[in-house]
Amino acid sequence: MIKVEWLYWLIGLIFVVMAVQMAADRTNPKRWTSAAFWGLLGLTFPYGTGVVNAELNATAPGSASWTLPAEPLGVAVLALIVLAGFNFIGKGVPVTTTDEQRQASAARLGSKLFIPALTIPLVAIVCASFLDESGLFETGKATLIGLGLGCIVALAVGMFVTGEKRISVPIHSGRSMLEAMGSALLLPQLLAVLGSIFAVAGVGTQVGTVVDGVLPGNSKYLAVIAYCVGMFLFTVIMGNAFAAFPVMTAAIGWPVLIQQMHGNEAAVLAIGMLAGFSGTLCTPMAANFNIVPASLLELKDQYGPIKAQLPTGLALLVCNIVIMALFAF
């Protein structure tokens, strides 16, 4: 059986290999701290398996093969925060081809460049649709494992299409992209975890209490506006609609719109998520959508994508409010 944790170990190994490359790159003025950040992050992946095993062993003694204490993992997370927060992560001069060489390669390959990118979703769909019940993959993880396998297959396909025979080339290119993105690469995961923490802490319940005291009773339209605008604003603050969803759904979506006003569950929750996605277009906290692309494209204005998307985001918010009010009840 292929386990999803093997995919995590591979990701961790890639981070460690790139960290070694960074440490040897003298063009990076912060090479040692950069290597420490990504190397430490890479080591947390296999170490995390031992922590999870310890938790499983605590509930079912003898079920886990090897266990590790959680405290060092927490220290590693704090170290990553210090390295990123105090701007100890830098980037070197990428070893790459010239503009003329890239243009010639693009002209030679043409639309074949899309083949590796299309390979990833194709493999993921095949694994999720046809191999989920085969026993080959860990139960319930076929889609995630398929995504990882798709990336591996796409790497091989990309090297075949371009005629590249050295594995060091994509690793160096990946490191350059990793350095360009920096610690913003981790922001979506951290914000998603923050949403779970808020939900467990009861933030949604407290928000619901405040909203319940402000909204007039049985005002469907005002409740819809409050839910959609709340999803929009919390997404802007937290940078991730998945982080905002449990908070606003616990506050308004489920108790007010569904239980009290008998809204259609699928419609209310799906449209509420879309209202959150509208906020994703309007916030720098959604770094993977708005800040990282600006860095990779070397735009002069790093907030350029947000400025261009802001009118669309606001228009989509209004559309979601109208659609929910008219069709979700």
Side-chain angles (χ1 to χ4, degrees):
M1 179 187 297
I2 300 176
K3 298 183 178 180
V4 71
E5 62 182 338
W6 297 354
L7 173 61
Y8 297 146
W9 295 351
L10 177 61
I11 295 172
L13 176 62
I14 293 172
F15 280 136
V16 171
V17 170
M18 291 182 176
V20 173
Q21 290 181 332
M22 292 176 191
D25 184 4
R26 297 184 180 276
T27 65
N28 185 350
K30 301 176 182 178
R31 58 184 179 130
W32 294 113
T33 49
S34 297
F37 180 88
W38 296 110
L40 192 59
L41 176 63
L43 292 175
T44 62
F45 283 82
Y47 192 94
T49 299
V51 174
V52 172
N53 286 345
E55 295 176 354
L56 294 175
N57 198 44
T59 57
S63 62
S65 56
W66 53 280
T67 63
L68 294 170
E71 289 78 8
L73 189 60
V75 173
V77 172
L78 294 177
L80 292 175
I81 293 172
V82 170
L83 289 170
F86 287 93
N87 196 28
F88 287 131
I89 304 175
K91 58 182 179 179
V93 178
V95 179
T96 184
T97 54
T98 64
D99 290 339
E100 292 76 14
Q101 289 174 319
R102 286 194 291 272
Q103 291 175 4
S105 178
R108 176 175 59 87
L109 296 172
S111 58
K112 293 180 181 178
L113 288 171
F114 292 100
I115 296 177
L118 295 175
T119 301
I120 299 175
L122 178 62
V123 174
I125 291 173
V126 170
C127 291
S129 302
F130 303 105
L131 300 178
D132 191 18
E133 304 296 333
S134 66
L136 180 63
F137 300 139
E138 182 179 352
T139 304
K141 303 295 184 180
T143 301
L144 186 57
I145 296 174
L147 179 62
L149 291 177
C151 293
I152 297 173
V153 174
L155 173 61
V157 171
M159 294 180 68
F160 175 78
V161 168
T162 59
E164 181 57 61
K165 297 181 174 58
R166 298 167 297 172
I167 190 63
S168 60
V169 172
I171 292 178
H172 278 292
S173 298
R175 175 173 66 90
S176 297
M177 182 172 291
L178 188 67
E179 290 179 330
M181 291 186 289
S183 60
L185 176 71
L186 305 180
L187 191 57
Q189 292 87 344
L190 295 177
L191 293 172
V193 172
L194 181 62
S196 300
I197 294 174
F198 276 16
V200 173
V203 175
T205 302
Q206 295 303 316
V207 172
T209 302
V210 173
V211 172
D212 187 57
V214 174
L215 289 178
N218 298 321
S219 178
K220 178 181 70 175
Y221 297 114
L222 289 179
V224 168
I225 292 173
Y227 181 48
C228 291
V229 172
M231 279 293 300
F232 179 90
L233 293 178
F234 264 81
T235 300
V236 168
I237 294 171
M238 304 172 75
N240 193 311
F242 292 101
F245 184 76
V247 176
M248 291 308 303
T249 299
I252 305 174
W254 186 263
V256 179
L257 295 177
I258 295 176
Q259 291 187 324
Q260 181 179 331
M261 300 182 178
H262 308 292
N264 180 276
E265 297 178 10
V268 169
L269 300 182
I271 299 170
M273 182 65 80
L274 289 175
F277 291 156
S278 301
T280 303
L281 299 173
C282 308
T283 174
M285 294 298 289
N288 55 324
F289 289 103
N290 301 328
I291 301 301
V292 169
S295 299
L296 293 177
L297 295 173
E298 299 181 349
L299 299 181
K300 294 181 179 180
D301 183 2
Q302 65 173 339
Y303 299 111
I306 297 175
K307 294 175 182 178
Q309 295 165 177
L310 187 59
T312 302
L314 294 175
L316 288 174
L317 173 62
V318 174
C319 290
N320 284 318
I321 292 174
V322 174
I323 292 171
M324 183 181 293
L326 294 180
F327 301 108
F329 298 91

